[in-house]
Amino acid sequence: MTEESKAGSGGEVGLDLIAPELLAPALRKLTLAALGVGIGVGLLMALFVHWPVALATGIVLGAPTALYAMAVQRRRITVSGTVIRARTWRGERSIDLAAATALEILVYPGKISRIVLRITSGPDSRIVPLAIYSDSGSGRELHILGLRKLADALTSCPLAAALAISDMLVQQLRAEARDAIAEERPLYRAVRMVRARDEAAPIILADSDIADLAR
Protein backbone atom coordinates (compact mmCIF):
# COMPACT_ATOMS: atom_id res chain seq x y z
CA MET A 1 0.00 0.00 0.00
CA THR A 2 1.36 3.42 -0.88
CA GLU A 3 1.67 6.25 1.61
CA GLU A 4 -0.80 8.29 -0.40
CA SER A 5 -3.50 5.68 0.07
CA LYS A 6 -3.08 5.96 3.82
CA ALA A 7 -3.93 9.65 3.84
CA GLY A 8 -7.61 10.37 4.27
CA SER A 9 -9.76 13.33 3.44
CA GLY A 10 -9.03 16.64 5.15
CA GLY A 11 -5.35 15.76 5.65
CA GLU A 12 -6.10 12.84 7.99
CA VAL A 13 -3.45 10.13 8.11
CA GLY A 14 -4.14 6.66 9.49
CA LEU A 15 -2.09 5.50 12.47
CA ASP A 16 -3.23 1.89 12.43
CA LEU A 17 -0.44 -0.69 12.23
CA ILE A 18 -2.65 -2.67 9.85
CA ALA A 19 -4.81 -0.57 7.54
CA PRO A 20 -8.52 -1.26 8.16
CA GLU A 21 -9.15 -1.71 4.46
CA LEU A 22 -6.76 -4.68 4.48
CA LEU A 23 -8.64 -6.32 7.35
CA ALA A 24 -12.13 -5.54 6.06
CA PRO A 25 -12.55 -8.52 3.65
CA ALA A 26 -11.45 -11.06 6.28
CA LEU A 27 -13.64 -9.45 8.94
CA ARG A 28 -16.66 -9.47 6.64
CA LYS A 29 -16.12 -13.19 5.98
CA LEU A 30 -15.80 -13.81 9.72
CA THR A 31 -19.04 -11.92 10.38
CA LEU A 32 -20.92 -13.89 7.73
CA ALA A 33 -19.44 -17.18 8.92
CA ALA A 34 -20.42 -16.49 12.53
CA LEU A 35 -23.95 -15.53 11.51
CA GLY A 36 -24.17 -18.62 9.32
CA VAL A 37 -23.09 -20.90 12.17
CA GLY A 38 -25.57 -19.30 14.55
CA ILE A 39 -28.46 -19.56 12.11
CA GLY A 40 -27.55 -23.10 11.06
CA VAL A 41 -27.29 -24.39 14.61
CA GLY A 42 -30.48 -22.59 15.58
CA LEU A 43 -32.44 -24.13 12.71
CA LEU A 44 -31.04 -27.58 13.42
CA MET A 45 -31.91 -27.40 17.09
CA ALA A 46 -35.41 -26.16 16.26
CA LEU A 47 -36.08 -29.68 14.94
CA PHE A 48 -35.53 -31.15 18.40
CA VAL A 49 -36.28 -28.46 21.00
CA HIS A 50 -38.65 -25.52 21.44
CA TRP A 51 -37.86 -22.59 19.16
CA PRO A 52 -36.97 -20.13 21.99
CA VAL A 53 -34.23 -22.51 23.13
CA ALA A 54 -33.01 -22.99 19.56
CA LEU A 55 -33.02 -19.23 18.96
CA ALA A 56 -31.09 -18.53 22.16
CA THR A 57 -28.51 -21.16 21.29
CA GLY A 58 -27.99 -19.74 17.81
CA ILE A 59 -27.54 -16.23 19.23
CA VAL A 60 -25.07 -17.40 21.87
CA LEU A 61 -22.98 -19.22 19.26
CA GLY A 62 -22.99 -16.65 16.47
CA ALA A 63 -23.59 -13.20 17.93
CA PRO A 64 -20.40 -12.63 20.00
CA THR A 65 -18.03 -13.38 17.12
CA ALA A 66 -20.12 -11.41 14.62
CA LEU A 67 -20.35 -8.40 16.93
CA TYR A 68 -16.62 -8.51 17.64
CA ALA A 69 -15.78 -8.61 13.92
CA MET A 70 -18.10 -5.67 13.22
CA ALA A 71 -16.60 -3.70 16.12
CA VAL A 72 -13.07 -4.27 14.81
CA GLN A 73 -14.14 -3.01 11.38
CA ARG A 74 -15.12 0.31 12.97
CA ARG A 75 -11.86 0.83 14.79
CA ARG A 76 -9.56 3.43 13.32
CA ILE A 77 -7.02 5.89 14.64
CA THR A 78 -5.93 8.95 12.66
CA VAL A 79 -3.97 12.16 13.05
CA SER A 80 -4.91 15.48 11.50
CA GLY A 81 -2.67 18.39 12.40
CA THR A 82 -2.11 17.92 16.14
CA VAL A 83 -5.37 16.08 16.81
CA ILE A 84 -5.48 12.31 17.30
CA ARG A 85 -8.89 10.74 16.62
CA ALA A 86 -9.83 7.24 17.70
CA ARG A 87 -13.03 5.66 16.37
CA THR A 88 -14.57 2.57 17.94
CA TRP A 89 -18.02 0.99 18.01
CA ARG A 90 -18.86 3.38 20.86
CA GLY A 91 -18.16 6.46 18.77
CA GLU A 92 -15.27 8.81 18.09
CA ARG A 93 -13.04 10.54 20.62
CA SER A 94 -10.14 12.89 20.07
CA ILE A 95 -7.16 14.30 21.92
CA ASP A 96 -4.93 17.24 21.00
CA LEU A 97 -1.20 16.64 21.20
CA ALA A 98 -0.60 20.37 21.56
CA ALA A 99 -2.56 20.31 24.82
CA ALA A 100 -1.07 17.06 26.21
CA THR A 101 -0.20 17.06 29.90
CA ALA A 102 1.85 13.85 29.73
CA LEU A 103 3.54 11.78 27.03
CA GLU A 104 4.97 8.32 27.64
CA ILE A 105 6.48 5.50 25.61
CA LEU A 106 5.33 2.13 26.94
CA VAL A 107 6.69 -1.29 26.07
CA TYR A 108 4.59 -4.40 26.66
CA PRO A 109 7.17 -7.23 26.70
CA GLY A 110 6.44 -10.81 25.78
CA LYS A 111 6.79 -13.28 22.94
CA ILE A 112 4.86 -10.69 20.96
CA SER A 113 5.99 -7.29 22.24
CA ARG A 114 4.20 -4.00 21.67
CA ILE A 115 5.51 -0.44 21.90
CA VAL A 116 3.05 2.44 22.07
CA LEU A 117 2.78 6.16 22.69
CA ARG A 118 0.43 7.09 25.53
CA ILE A 119 -0.98 10.61 25.35
CA THR A 120 -2.66 12.17 28.37
CA SER A 121 -4.61 15.42 28.39
CA GLY A 122 -6.34 16.05 31.71
CA PRO A 123 -8.62 13.09 32.42
CA ASP A 124 -8.38 11.74 28.88
CA SER A 125 -5.78 9.27 27.66
CA ARG A 126 -5.11 7.71 24.26
CA ILE A 127 -2.81 4.97 23.03
CA VAL A 128 -1.13 5.18 19.63
CA PRO A 129 0.47 1.88 18.49
CA LEU A 130 3.99 2.34 17.15
CA ALA A 131 5.19 -1.21 16.49
CA ILE A 132 4.76 -4.87 17.35
CA TYR A 133 7.61 -7.40 17.27
CA SER A 134 8.03 -11.14 17.69
CA ASP A 135 10.96 -12.80 19.43
CA SER A 136 12.73 -13.20 16.10
CA GLY A 137 12.64 -9.47 15.38
CA SER A 138 9.97 -9.63 12.70
CA GLY A 139 6.83 -7.59 13.14
CA ARG A 140 4.95 -4.56 11.94
CA GLU A 141 5.81 -0.89 12.39
CA LEU A 142 3.90 2.33 11.92
CA HIS A 143 4.34 3.42 8.31
CA ILE A 144 6.59 6.30 7.28
CA LEU A 145 3.84 8.86 6.64
CA GLY A 146 2.28 8.13 10.02
CA LEU A 147 5.63 8.51 11.78
CA ARG A 148 6.30 11.80 10.03
CA LYS A 149 2.89 13.28 10.88
CA LEU A 150 3.11 12.10 14.48
CA ALA A 151 6.64 13.47 14.90
CA ASP A 152 5.55 16.83 13.45
CA ALA A 153 2.51 16.97 15.72
CA LEU A 154 4.64 16.29 18.80
CA THR A 155 6.76 19.39 18.15
CA SER A 156 3.70 21.54 18.91
CA CYS A 157 3.57 20.21 22.48
CA PRO A 158 5.43 22.29 25.11
CA LEU A 159 6.42 19.24 27.17
CA ALA A 160 10.12 18.37 27.23
CA ALA A 161 9.29 14.72 26.55
CA ALA A 162 7.53 15.66 23.31
CA LEU A 163 10.71 16.78 21.53
CA ALA A 164 12.65 13.72 22.67
CA ILE A 165 9.92 11.36 21.47
CA SER A 166 9.64 13.29 18.21
CA ASP A 167 13.39 12.90 17.66
CA MET A 168 13.12 9.16 18.34
CA LEU A 169 10.31 8.81 15.81
CA VAL A 170 12.34 10.75 13.23
CA GLN A 171 15.21 8.30 13.70
CA GLN A 172 12.75 5.42 13.28
CA LEU A 173 11.41 7.06 10.12
CA ARG A 174 14.90 7.36 8.68
CA ALA A 175 15.67 3.75 9.55
CA GLU A 176 12.50 2.53 7.83
CA ALA A 177 13.19 4.73 4.79
CA ARG A 178 16.59 3.12 4.24
CA ASP A 179 15.26 -0.35 5.11
CA ALA A 180 17.67 -0.68 8.03
CA ILE A 181 18.01 -3.96 9.91
CA ALA A 182 15.93 -4.39 13.08
CA GLU A 183 18.87 -3.63 15.43
CA GLU A 184 19.23 -0.18 13.85
CA ARG A 185 15.59 0.77 14.41
CA PRO A 186 14.87 2.71 17.64
CA LEU A 187 11.51 1.06 18.28
CA TYR A 188 12.97 -2.44 18.07
CA ARG A 189 15.93 -1.40 20.20
CA ALA A 190 13.48 -0.13 22.82
CA VAL A 191 11.70 -3.48 22.90
CA ARG A 192 14.99 -5.38 23.09
CA MET A 193 16.13 -3.09 25.92
CA VAL A 194 13.03 -3.92 27.99
CA ARG A 195 13.27 -7.65 27.22
CA ALA A 196 16.84 -7.61 28.54
CA ARG A 197 15.53 -6.41 31.89
CA ASP A 198 13.44 -9.58 32.14
CA GLU A 199 10.31 -7.64 33.06
CA ALA A 200 6.79 -8.99 32.59
CA ALA A 201 4.75 -5.87 33.32
CA PRO A 202 4.48 -2.93 30.88
CA ILE A 203 7.48 -0.58 31.21
CA ILE A 204 7.48 3.20 30.78
CA LEU A 205 10.72 4.25 29.13
CA ALA A 206 12.75 6.79 31.07
CA ASP A 207 13.70 10.12 29.50
CA SER A 208 17.32 8.92 29.32
CA ASP A 209 16.25 5.78 27.45
CA ILE A 210 14.33 7.81 24.88
CA ALA A 211 17.27 10.19 24.45
CA ASP A 212 19.60 7.24 23.79
CA LEU A 213 17.18 5.77 21.25
CA ALA A 214 16.95 9.12 19.43
CA ARG A 215 20.69 9.15 18.70
Side-chain angles (χ1 to χ4, degrees), residues 57-87:
T57 302
I59 291 174
V60 168
L61 286 176
T65 302
L67 290 174
Y68 173 77
M70 288 188 288
V72 171
Q73 287 185 69
R74 282 194 55 80
R75 290 180 188 171
R76 186 162 180 81
I77 184 166
T78 62
V79 58
S80 178
T82 63
V83 178
I84 305 290
R85 292 187 175 84
R87 189 183 70 186

Side-chain angles (χ1 to χ4, degrees), residues 144-168:
I144 289 175
L145 182 56
L147 286 169
R148 187 169 70 220
K149 293 293 185 181
L150 195 54
D152 289 346
L154 283 165
T155 61
S156 66
C157 179
L159 297 175
L163 185 57
I165 294 173
S166 178
D167 288 343
M168 184 187 72

Side-chain angles (χ1 to χ4, degrees), residues 93-123:
R93 301 183 70 179
S94 62
I95 195 166
D96 192 344
L97 274 168
T101 54
L103 294 167
E104 298 165 314
I105 296 293
L106 282 80
V107 176
Y108 296 80
K111 290 185 177 180
I112 301 296
S113 300
R114 293 187 298 133
I115 179 168
V116 305
L117 168 64
R118 181 163 67 188
I119 307 161
T120 303
S121 181

